[in-house]
Each structure stands twice: as C-alpha cells, then as structure tokens.
Amino acid sequence: MSRKKARRTKIERPVKQPDRVASLDGGASCWTRALPLFLIGLAGLLVYSNSFCGPFVFDDCEAIRDNPTIRQLLSLGRVLFPEPGAFSKGVTVEGRPLLNLSFALNHAMGGLEVWGYHAVNLLVHVLAGLTLYGIVRRTLLRVQPPGRLGSGSAPWLALVVALLWVVHPLQTESVTYMVQRAESLLGLIYLLTLYCFIRGIDGGRWWRAGTVAMCALGMTAKEVMATAPLMVLLYDWVFVTGSIKQIWRERRGFYLALFSTWAVLAALLLGTGGSNLDILKKMFSPTDAPSPAAEIISGMSWWEYALTQFGTVVHYLRLSVWPHPLIFDYGTEVTPGFWGIVSAALIVTLLLAATVAGVWRRHWAGFAGAWFFLILAPTTSVVPTNQTSAEHRMYLPLAAVMVLLVAGGYAGWRRLRERMARDGKRSALKGWTLPAVVVALILLGLGGLTFWRNRTYQSEYDIWQDTVSKMPTNARAHNNLAFFTLMQKGQVDLAISHYKKALEIKPDYADAHKNLSVTFLQNGQVDEAIFHSRKVLEIKPDYAAAHYDLGNALMQKNQVDEAIDHYEQAIEIKLNYAEAYYNLGNALFQKGEVDKANEIFQKAVEIKPDYSEAHNNLGASFLQKGQVDQAILHFQKAQEINPGLPDASYNLGNALQQKGRADESIIQFQKALELKPDYTLAHLNLGNVLLQLKRVDEAMVHYELAIKCNPMELGALNNLAWIMATSSVSSQRNGARALELAQQANHVTGGTHPMVLYTLSAAYAECGRFTEAVETAERTLSLATTQSNRALVDAIQKARSLFQEGKPIRETRPAAP
C-alpha cells in the first residue's frame, strides 16, 4: 500500500514592511556602528595630540586672552551681547554670541590655560566628523540602487570620507588656531542641521524641530550659517522629493520655520553693528567717490576682490588634493596677471556649470558641488574681507571634495575589478585588502602632515616666520613677525627691519606704524615714536591703541595735558580699555589730581579685576589721600594677582610703615628686593625703617646699596652722610666718607636744600673743618628762616654753637634729618 506524502498547506502571513529608518540602518550590527565612531575619535585625537600646548596666536589674543566679556559668565547677557566698545570692531567673536559663550565657559573652567581651549576645539571637530559620517552613510544608503553598493559598504565608505576629512591638514587652522572655533563650531551645527533633517524625513516632527533649532543656533555662531536652509531644501529636492511643488505641499510649515531663522542673523547684524554689516554698507552705499567708499577692509573694491576669488577657489581645490604649502595668513595676495585670472575663471565656470547641471538632474555629485560653492559664497564671492584666501573657510566645503574623491576612487576600483574579472584574472582586487591599504597609507600621510603642521603653532614666532617664508609679500606677516622677533628673540634691529619691510609693501599700514612707535618708545627714541603714532592717527583716526601709544610717548616728553587728551580719546573709542584708564590715572596722579586719578584707577580695576598694576596704583592713590587701610587692601590684592610685582610689595611696605607696623613693613621691603635687587627706593625705605628701629648698621648697609643702584639718590646720600657724621658709635662714623656723600647730595640739589646743607655742615665738623661748618650752618639758617622752618632754625642754631666751640654733633641714635 503506497503511502502518499501529505501536502502541507502554506499559511500566508502578512509581511511586515520595515520602516524607512530601519532600512537605512541596513541591519548594521552594534560592532559595525561602534567601530567607525571609535576610529574617527581616535584618528582626531592622534593627529591633534601635539596641539594642546599651542599659545594664543594673532586674533586669539583679542578674542580670548584680552576679551573682558568672557570673564563674567554669571553676567550672561554681557557674554552674549557685549556692549558696544567691549572690544575692537572686527574681532572674531563680534556678533557671534554662541562663540563668545563657548569661550566664556572655557574661561570659567580653566581660566586662560590654553590646553582647555584646544581640547574643546578638538572635541567640536571630532563631533563634526561623527556627524559627517552619519550624513554620508545615510545618504549613500538612500541613493544607491539595490545591489549596487550593498548595505554593508555604505558605513565603510562613509567612514573613509569622515576620516579623510578629520585628519586632513587643511583643517588645522580651524582646529589648532583657537579662535577659529568659529568655523568648527559652525561646521558642527551646520552638519547637525542637515543630519536632523535626514533623520526627520521618516523619523517624525521632533527631528524636524531639531533641524530648525540647530539652524537658529548656528546663526549665532557665524554668518555662513545663512546658507544652511538652502542646503536643506536642496537636499530635499535632490535626494528625497524631486519636486518643489511636493515639498511646498508636504513641508510648507517646516520650511517657513527654517527660513525664518534668517531673522536671528539679521537681528545680530543690526544689533551689533559688526564689521560684516559695515562691509555691506560700504559696498552698496551710493557715492560718487570711488575711494575710500569703494574700498573695504582689504583695500579692494568688491569687483577687484571678486576677481581674486577665481584663483582662490582653484587654490582651495589644489590644497584639498595636495595640502602644501599651508599658509596661516594669505593677506591680500591676488592671482598674478590677466591670464592667471582668465584660466582660473574658466576652471571655476566649468565646475559651476557642472554643478548646476548635476543639481538639475538631481545627481548626488551636483549636490556635492552645490555644497562646496554655496558654503564658500559668503566669503569667496564679492564681499571683501581682510584676506583674499583663508584655509579655515574650507572646513565644511572640504567634505564635498572628500565625498567626490572617495566616490570616484570607489567607482574606479569597481570598474577595474569588473574588467579583470571579465578577463579571467585573479588578483588582490577581489577583496577589500588593496583599497584598505591605499586608504590607510593616504590617512597616514595626511595625518602625519597634520601632526607636523601643528608644530608650527607652538609659538607665535614660528607661525609668522613660516608665513613670511611662504608669503614674502604679506605686509601683515612681516609686521607680526617683527613683533614676535622682538618679544621672543629680543632682536630690536631685525624687528625694525621687518616693520619697515611691511611699510615698504603697504605704506599706509597703520598697525606697522603703531608697532614701530611702541618699539622706538621702548628703545628710548621718543621723537620717532611720536612721529609714527601720529602717522597711525592720520591713517586711522579712530584707532584706540594708537591714541594710547601716543599718550605714553607724550608722557615721556612730560607733555601731560596732551597725553591725557589722547588717553581720553582712546577710552572714548574703546570703552573697556583698562590699560588706557590705568595710564590716564597715572597722568592725573602726576598732575596732582589725586581724587580724579583714584576714580580712574577704580574704573580700570572694575573692567579688569585681575589687573595687578591697576590695584597697585589705586592703592597708591588711597595712600596719597591718607586712606591707609584702603591702600593696604589694594596692595595685597595686587600681590595676590601677581606675586612677582615688586612695586606692590614696596608700596605695601610704605603703607604698613605708616600704620606703625615696622616689622611687617621690613618683610615687604625685603620681598620687593628679592624680586628686584636693584630697587633703589626699597633699599632707601628699608634703611629708614631699620634706622627707626635703632638697627643702624643694617640701615647703613641699605643706604649704601641704594647709592650703588643710583648714585644720585638724594635720600640715601643725605641719610648715610648724617649717620657717618653724627653717630655716637665710633665704628659708624667716617668723616671723609660723610663729607663726600654730603657734597654729592648738595650737588644734586644745586646747593639750595637746607636739610642737605645741614648735613654738609655736620660732615665738615666731623672732619675738623669748623670754619666751613659754621659758614655752611649760617647759609642753612638763612634758608630755613626764609622758609619759616622753625624746628630746623632751632636745630641749626644749636649746631652752629657747637661748631663755634670746635665740637661736632653727636647723637646717641642718629636720625635722618
């Protein structure tokens, strides 16, 4: 009996369609997802591991080191929206509240320790790299036909793009140069804006809300964020919808919200009156005069600047492929010659045409081209800036170049592998070994160049020396190299030669004139310093630092009133100019306007609470007014801020002496002398306190040291001569030396000081020259009588009687007269 095989009835079950987000994830394992993230982070850390000690360079100084607003994190409004004049126009943080806030957070955590700023910059860069990885991976999975790429390949191609972008040497300026956090922070937020949109295509309204929020936030980081809504719209049209009508029908509210974020940027530009707004005003303001109205920061008209940008774009593309030489500051270099401009314009025009065609055909390469050109447009088109080229501007556009290079390399490798397979050849092309080795070698090469480039940022001198060697016609590079040649090498003549070279290249270069002025003043060439400061103000009348420098030079010429006028102009231009307040206070103090000087010093301390010199001079003004306790507090604060400030210790010693705290004052004078062994006044006043405490021998030692430091120090000459002429202790007396010192003191005063003449008469008597002693005493008596100095008149009359009897003065405890 045959047995028939029983047929099973197939039960039809509904197949659950995976949602779009799940399909884009490609069923990747946790290991596949985590490994790329780990590698991107590790690559960033390795190539920038030597960047953490780089000092503040160039714009870092004003935007971070000398920025008063980042020191007040609790005053959040002042951090986000500094009052006008908080810093000079055009400083990188101006009109960029998110950037300024990030620096304020850095300062709150670690003050001005540079490693903290570098660490945050690197973190931002790595996060941007991770976000780029996510964008490329999801886009590759979206555009590839089934079987063309395979879900397993997309993460690895995206990883290659992200790794190349993270380790590329062209990024060093945006990461290692601290103030260019402006670029990397913008880059992170820009990428997050697009990433949130991609996730929101299938992931719901919260991702779309995140897109709008990120876009609005980015507007507070840098103005280039204005292009982000356009890039999101372009991505939607190229990769998702393909129809503007459908986009408007389905996502009208989203795009209205997204484009409304432009209002944030407009409010910041109008509210701060920043340099970018000034540029636009000058560009489009109607005027008949071609100059200077047509000339902007860089000294070029808009059309001249536009012509330079063709060569700039070609240069950026070349550096993307062959990153050498990298230059910190390009200045206002232009493409040389007519044919250079024409050839560069032809290349850029062809690339733009290809981009437009690609976008029109909704090809992914067209989107990459649009990403490159649109993000560069605000700085690489017709709006002049103070540099014709700047490598940090390629921070985001470089991503498009890397995508095109990786995609092109992958396509070429596939074709070569397919061709060899058709020919029946077997080779290493069959697997991923060869491309992996090639990619690894390229990454090692780029990473090594980045590591090496970071070494140039280890000192200001190195970065400017490198720039001058590569761009010898850059006036600003010569100017800055001169400054750091002087600061770090102490080579005055070489520094002056670089300043003069800068002025040879650009005769109306205000900064070079300013720095020459400071150098000449430090070198004691006051007239030359005044000439160059006045030259600066002819070129740039609203240059606060030039007014300040001219005030300093005029003070050297004792032209106090004119100096005060220039300090006040500096403060009017730059409201929070602590150093100008400080020197204005010094000038007023010198004029005897102690109360007004006191107010000015207090203002300097309010602006810059850690300004030790201002605390010291504020204490001096309180001491002058007799408010000794207040003076002591400020001297102690100055010491706390700067323990190496000898003036604070010296002044504190004087204040403590006035309070009768002699032992404590001795400690402070000794501390001042430890810091500055040739501090004449500290030796003098320490001698006075020791004399007061009957420690005569010690006092004499310090008077001698004061005279050694300054042979014209009147107080030490007179006091030591008096002791040597009148002491009752024979070992302390020395008539010949006393007479020598007294005669020197009398020479210093021109023979008109009664106290010095009194000492001179005592010295004559100690030497047994009583006739001269009596004559000198009578001259002293005449001067003292004229000055109505009754105490001195009585003392001289007694001394004259002794001299007439052939007796010298003897004091059991000599006191300085």
Side-chain angles (χ1 to χ4, degrees):
M1 184 176 176
S2 65
R3 296 178 60 187
K4 291 185 178 181
K5 189 174 181 180
R7 291 185 64 187
R8 289 187 176 180
T9 304
K10 183 177 180 181
I11 301 175
E12 296 291 339
R13 295 179 181 175
V15 178
K16 182 179 178 181
Q17 295 295 329
D19 60 26
R20 184 63 173 153
V21 175
S23 66
L24 283 181
D25 283 339
S29 66
C30 292
W31 169 253
T32 305
R33 293 182 188 179
L35 182 60
L37 307 185
F38 170 76
L39 291 175
I40 292 168
L42 180 62
L45 182 60
L46 288 175
V47 299
Y48 287 100
S49 60
N50 64 334
S51 70
F52 293 95
C53 296
F56 294 115
V57 176
F58 199 31
D59 285 344
D60 290 341
C61 300
E62 191 167 6
I64 304 173
R65 188 194 65 192
D66 301 330
N67 182 353
T69 65
I70 69 171
R71 299 185 177 92
Q72 303 167 9
L73 183 58
L74 294 179
S75 302
L76 193 58
R78 214 178 153 209
V79 174
L80 296 175
F81 308 106
E83 65 271 21
F87 28 66
S88 303
K89 268 191 180 298
V91 69
T92 310
V93 295
E94 183 186 25
R96 297 167 179 174
L98 182 63
L99 177 63
N100 206 44
L101 176 61
S102 76
F103 290 139
L105 290 168
N106 253 128
H107 191 277
M109 291 185 291
L112 294 176
E113 292 290 336
V114 293
W115 71 268
Y117 296 87
H118 285 296
V120 172
N121 278 23
L122 178 56
L123 177 63
V124 168
H125 182 53
V126 169
L127 290 175
L130 294 174
T131 309
L132 176 64
Y133 164 76
I135 290 171
V136 176
R137 184 178 74 88
R138 287 177 172 272
T139 303
L140 284 175
L141 288 170
R142 182 175 295 280
V143 300
Q144 289 296 328
R148 176 73 175 171
L149 178 64
S151 60
S153 301
W156 303 113
L157 291 177
L159 174 61
V160 172
V161 170
L163 284 173
L164 290 172
W165 185 81
V166 165
V167 305
H168 201 288
L170 198 51
Q171 305 290 49
T172 50
E173 190 170 300
S174 300
V175 183
T176 312
Y177 183 19
M178 285 173 275
V179 79
Q180 284 309 329
R181 182 182 301 175
E183 201 71 50
S184 57
L185 186 61
L186 162 81
L188 172 60
I189 298 172
Y190 202 114
L191 291 166
L192 283 171
T193 300
L194 185 58
Y195 182 78
C196 287
F197 172 75
I198 294 170
R199 294 297 302 266
I201 292 170
D202 305 298
R205 60 184 180 181
W206 290 112
W207 284 107
R208 293 185 189 175
T211 305
V212 176
M214 283 292 112
C215 194
L217 186 64
M219 299 295 177
T220 69
K222 195 173 181 182
E223 297 76 8
V224 176
M225 194 69 191
T227 63
L230 296 173
M231 289 308 307
V232 170
L233 177 62
L234 200 58
Y235 188 97
D236 196 353
W237 186 61
V238 171
F239 295 115
V240 184
T241 310
S243 167
I244 296 295
K245 288 183 180 179
Q246 185 178 345
I247 289 172
W248 178 251
R249 184 172 61 251
E250 294 179 359
R251 289 189 272 277
R252 178 188 317 157
F254 165 74
Y255 280 105
L256 288 174
L258 187 64
F259 280 93
S260 71
T261 59
W262 280 345
V264 176
L265 181 58
L268 288 171
L269 288 173
L270 294 171
T272 60
S275 56
N276 291 311
L277 186 62
D278 289 344
I279 291 171
L280 294 174
K281 284 180 180 177
K282 289 179 183 177
M283 278 184 60
F284 300 111
S285 60
T287 177
D288 295 329
S291 179
E295 291 186 347
I296 322 296
I297 294 173
S298 64
M300 299 181 186
S301 63
W302 65 268
W303 59 269
E304 288 174 322
Y305 184 83
L307 288 177
T308 69
Q309 296 310 291
F310 292 114
T312 293
V313 170
V314 174
H315 179 66
Y316 288 158
L317 290 170
R318 186 188 67 76
L319 287 179
S320 300
V321 179
W322 187 260
H324 179 80
L326 296 178
I327 300 173
F328 180 70
D329 181 5
Y330 286 83
T332 55
E333 283 292 295
V334 299
T335 304
F338 172 77
W339 291 111
I341 294 174
V342 169
S343 58
L346 180 61
I347 293 170
V348 173
T349 301
L350 290 174
L351 290 174
L352 276 169
T355 296
V356 171
V359 170
W360 183 254
R361 294 174 57 194
R362 295 179 56 220
H363 193 278
W364 63 268
F367 178 82
W371 177 277
F372 178 85
F373 283 110
L374 195 59
I375 293 174
L376 278 177
T379 55
T380 312
S381 54
V382 298
V383 182
T385 67
N386 59 357
Q387 289 190 76
T388 53
S389 303
E391 290 165 7
H392 63 261
R393 295 173 189 165
M394 274 295 289
Y395 187 74
L396 277 174
L398 183 64
V401 181
M402 293 301 100
V403 167
L404 289 168
L405 290 175
V406 170
Y410 176 73
W413 172 68
R414 280 178 55 89
R415 289 192 184 126
L416 181 60
R417 190 175 63 172
E418 289 169 359
R419 179 180 298 176
M420 295 192 74
R422 285 196 303 270
D423 295 342
K425 297 178 181 179
R426 296 182 57 138
S427 70
L429 294 175
K430 183 176 182 181
W432 285 91
T433 304
L434 181 61
V437 170
V438 171
V439 167
L441 290 174
I442 294 172
L443 287 173
L444 282 172
L446 292 176
L449 289 173
T450 297
F451 190 87
W452 184 261
R453 180 63 177 166
N454 287 332
R455 291 162 55 95
T456 312
Y457 285 85
Q458 296 306 302
S459 81
E460 298 96 330
Y461 176 84
D462 289 342
I463 196 70
W464 291 114
Q465 178 63 51
D466 179 77
T467 304
V468 165
S469 68
K470 296 171 180 174
M471 191 69 66
T473 57
N474 184 339
R476 184 162 61 192
H478 279 284
N479 174 67
N480 292 340
L481 177 58
F483 181 82
F484 291 108
T485 296
L486 193 61
M487 290 289 291
Q488 297 182 8
K489 305 292 182 180
Q491 299 174 356
V492 179
D493 292 337
L494 182 58
I496 290 174
S497 71
H498 278 293
Y499 285 135
K500 290 182 176 179
K501 180 65 178 177
L503 289 172
E504 182 183 318
I505 297 167
K506 188 177 180 183
D508 62 345
Y509 189 8
D511 283 344
H513 280 293
K514 176 201 174 302
N515 289 341
L516 255 180
S517 171
V518 173
T519 303
F520 280 132
L521 186 60
Q522 291 173 345
N523 213 33
Q525 298 169 270
V526 182
D527 291 332
E528 289 87 344
I530 291 174
F531 170 80
H532 283 283
S533 286
R534 293 196 190 281
K535 194 71 177 175
V536 176
L537 294 173
E538 288 177 17
I539 299 166
K540 197 173 179 182
D542 61 347
Y543 199 160
H547 283 289
Y548 171 77
D549 293 337
L550 182 53
N552 292 342
L554 291 167
M555 285 294 291
Q556 293 289 321
K557 299 283 283 187
N558 207 31
Q559 299 175 18
V560 181
D561 290 329
E562 192 178 352
I564 287 173
D565 178 60
H566 283 285
Y567 289 139
E568 288 174 340
Q569 288 187 64
I571 291 166
E572 185 179 338
I573 297 165
K574 185 177 177 182
L575 298 180
N576 288 330
Y577 202 160
E579 290 76 13
Y581 276 105
Y582 170 72
N583 279 7
L584 174 59
N586 288 338
L588 292 167
F589 195 89
Q590 184 169 324
K591 280 191 69 179
E593 299 179 30
V594 179
D595 289 337
K596 192 172 180 182
N598 187 279
E599 293 175 10
I600 296 298
F601 286 135
Q602 286 181 335
K603 182 66 177 176
V605 167
E606 287 174 16
I607 295 169
K608 198 171 179 181
D610 57 353
Y611 196 169
S612 58
E613 290 85 354
H615 278 287
N616 177 63
N617 283 20
L618 179 56
S621 67
F622 276 123
L623 195 61
Q624 183 81 359
K625 292 170 65 178
Q627 297 174 266
V628 183
D629 291 331
Q630 283 287 89
I632 288 173
L633 288 175
H634 283 284
F635 294 142
Q636 289 174 335
K637 183 66 176 177
Q639 282 186 324
E640 179 186 328
I641 296 166
N642 183 5
L645 184 64
D647 286 348
S649 300
Y650 166 75
N651 285 334
L652 181 55
N654 288 335
L656 292 168
Q657 183 182 8
Q658 289 190 30
K659 291 289 287 184
R661 295 155 62 178
D663 290 336
E664 294 175 67
S665 73
I666 287 173
I667 293 171
Q668 293 302 323
F669 289 135
Q670 289 173 335
K671 184 174 181 181
L673 290 168
E674 287 175 10
L675 297 168
K676 187 179 177 182
D678 60 347
Y679 201 153
T680 305
L681 292 177
H683 281 297
L684 172 63
N685 285 13
L686 177 53
N688 292 342
V689 179
L690 292 167
L691 191 63
Q692 178 187 339
L693 296 176
K694 304 180 183 179
R695 294 160 59 177
V696 181
D697 290 326
E698 294 175 68
M700 293 174 70
V701 169
H702 284 284
Y703 289 144
E704 288 281 15
L705 288 169
I707 294 167
K708 184 178 179 181
C709 295
N710 180 9
M712 307 293 281
E713 174 46 55
L714 181 61
L717 289 167
N718 186 68
N719 293 358
L720 184 56
W722 181 263
I723 295 169
M724 289 183 167
T726 66
S727 175
S728 60
V729 180
S730 60
S731 61
Q732 295 171 352
R733 291 197 308 274
N734 185 333
R737 175 69 170 149
L739 183 58
E740 177 189 346
L741 295 169
Q743 286 174 332
Q744 176 68 10
N746 193 45
H747 174 73
V748 171
T749 61
T752 59
H753 198 297
M755 298 299 294
V756 173
L757 287 170
Y758 182 24
T759 302
L760 181 58
S761 68
Y764 277 128
E766 177 60 24
C767 291
R769 297 163 63 174
F770 291 106
T771 301
E772 291 158 292
V774 171
E775 290 174 356
T776 306
E778 287 176 348
R779 285 168 53 202
T780 307
L781 185 60
S782 174
L783 284 170
T785 303
T786 302
Q787 295 176 5
S788 301
N789 189 339
R790 191 63 208 174
L792 184 56
V793 168
D794 292 342
I796 289 292
Q797 286 175 339
K798 292 177 182 178
R800 184 179 61 179
S801 298
L802 285 172
F803 302 156
Q804 288 170 342
E805 295 173 8
K807 297 178 182 179
I809 298 172
R810 287 290 176 266
E811 290 191 347
T812 54
R813 181 172 67 85

